[in-house]
Each structure stands twice: as structure tokens, then as C-alpha cells.
Amino acid sequence: MKCSVCGQRAQVEVRRRNQAFCAEHYRDWFVGEVRRNLRRHRMIRPGDRVLAAVSGGKDSLVLWDTLTRLGYEVTGFHINLGIGDYSRRALETTRAFAAERGLELVVVDVRESFGLTIPQLAWATGRAACSGCGLTKRYLMNRVAQDEGFNVVATGHNLDDEAATLLGNVSHWQTDALVRQGPMLEGREGLARRVKPLYSLTEREVAAYAFLAGIKYQHEECPHAAGAKSLLYKEVLGRMETRMPGTKQVFLEQYLKKIKPVLKSGLPETEVELKRCERCGQITTGRVCAHCKLWERAYTRAKKRGLLPEDASFDPRPVVKRV
Ligand code: AMP
Ligand code: FES
Ligand code: ZN
Ligand code: ZN
């Protein structure tokens, strides 16, 4: 197989595009795709201040790498979830990446900020670790962006993530989630713009880029991920992709282009009134936001079970550290 650009021996095949590349031209192709996504959806605009949420895994480190290569000044944001050795290694990997490249990184430790780790939060609330974890991560991304003066939050979601989310939303006809799903969610007062510059690139393509760009990332998955529904959706889509290359891309892109606009215009306008949470001051639809509610509940249970002292009270202000 030969490189579609220079004719030298190819190292990576992109089957869904019927193209193959040598190492150098693969990196160019990949960064070019990211640039195209940024432009097509006007994800980053002049004067924006961008925070990249980095877990230490390949997607978010590749995200940070490509945005930096494209000339954007992007600060990294890592959340230490307190999931044993997995979180310790995630922080180490992220720090090493930032230090090697002289990039600015801010870190929030969930336990230091809120008093419990994610596994302790799960235990206290009796809910799966991933649900409290997802809520806390989303809260922190938006809140830290606000507090630290960033108006855009970039995440490393790739095509496999987005196609799997779409399949999950379609399987249950979750129309609210369906109309919100997309590579860019516009910001507003109190809410940072959310962008996913890697949304059109498959997990395999991201991994190939990480390898060829010499990025050292954390390979292990979160121990709580086993059995997650998203993995089943990915497996199903993966099997379809093997038989019919391009399935994931068509499934997602055609949804965004053809179906989402129709769905949006057909659904009743649900402009909900946004208020400020009475506990933390963040934007919410209720009196108290979902994050504060969850943590308040966790505190009550954790005190009963002796995990927290009787006089402990939940403080929603995150402790932000620059490293
Ligand atoms: P996940 O929900 O784990 O698939 O992660 C989706 C995206 O969320 C990643 O690509 C990151 O951009 C971000 N993310 C996940 N975990 C963390 C973390 N611990 N700290 C900062 N960002 C994260
Ligand atoms: Fe959140 Fe696994 S429970 S990353
Ligand atoms: Zn080439
Ligand atoms: Zn709140």
C-alpha cells in the first residue's frame, strides 16, 4: 500500500476514505481534519479563551496536541477523581505531557474540593460511580471555566463516542438529548461553549495519531467502565463498521445534517427559564442544581455511615491549582 500523497510506503490506512498515508502525511491529514472541524462549526473564534478537558487518555491528549499545533493557546484542565491508582496515573501522565511541552495545566482534586472521592460519592449515594462522576465532571468543567476566565471548553470526544451516544439516544428515543447532541453547543451567560474538535475522527485514527506523534497516554480504562452501555453500543457499531466501512461516520454526520434540523423544528419550543443555584450560584433550571443536590444527599448519608464527621458541610467551591 502506498501513501495517497507522496507514493512512499503507507503506514496507516483510512479505509472509510479509501486513503492511506505515510507517517508524515497521516499527521498532516489528521491535523487538517481537526482544522476543518474547527472552521466548519466556528468552534474557536478570535478572542476566545479555551480550556481543554484532559483526562490523560489518548483522545484528550491528542486534542491538546493538535490545538496547540494549530497555533491555539489552550490551557489544560484535569480532574483528579480519586479512583485509586487509575487516577494517580492519569494525573501523572497529564502532568508529564504538559511539562514536556511547557503548557499550562490546572487541576482540581474532587476529594480535596468536595470532601469525598468519586467511589466514596457512589457508595454514599448508592448510584453507579459513572453517573455521579459524569455530573461532577460536567459541573467542574463549566464552573472552573467561568471562575478562571475561559469561555470555551473543549473535550476529546471522538467519532466512536459520538456515534455510540447517538445510538443510545435513538434506541430510547431521547428527543431532548438528541436535539442537544452535536459537535458544538453554543454558550451563554453562565455557560461556556462546549466543543468537540475530534468528533469526526475514529478512535483508531486518534490512536494512530497518538502513536505517530509520540504521545505517551494512559492506556488503562477506568475500572468502573466495565459493563457500561456505551461499550455495548461501540461494540455493535464496530461490527457494522468492519462489514461496512464508513457506517459510524454516515450514521452521525447524516443525523446531524438531515435529521437533527427536522427533529428540532418539529419539537415544541421548550425555552426553560434559567436561574442561579441557591447553593453555588451556577446556572440551573431548578432552585438547587443537580450537582449540589447530589452532593448534599451524599453528605447526609456519608455522615450517617461515619465517613464524614457530624459537623461537615458541603462547600461547592472547587479548589483550583495550577501546576
Ligand atoms: P469520557 O466521558 O471519559 O469518555 O471522557 C470524555 C471527555 O471528557 C474526554 O475526552 C476529556 O476531554 C474529558 N474528561 C474525561 N475525564 C476527565 C478528567 N478526569 N479530567 C478532565 N477531563 C476529563
Ligand atoms: Fe468516571 Fe470512571 S467513573 S471515569
Ligand atoms: Zn506520504
Ligand atoms: Zn449548585
Side-chain angles (χ1 to χ4, degrees), residues 139 143 276-284 287-293 314 316:
Y139 179 85
R143 165 114 198 211
R276 293 277 175 183
C277 168
E278 282 177 9
R279 290 287 280 112
C280 71
Q282 293 292 294
I283 294 285
T284 177
R287 214 167 45 79
V288 176
C289 76
H291 181 258
C292 290
K293 269 192 205 149
F314 170 61

Side-chain angles (χ1 to χ4, degrees), residues 81 83 86 118 128-134 137 221-225:
L81 304 163
I83 306 175
Y86 166 74
I118 291 296
C130 300
S131 80
C133 175
K137 282 197 282 201
E221 294 288 337
C222 167
H224 298 286

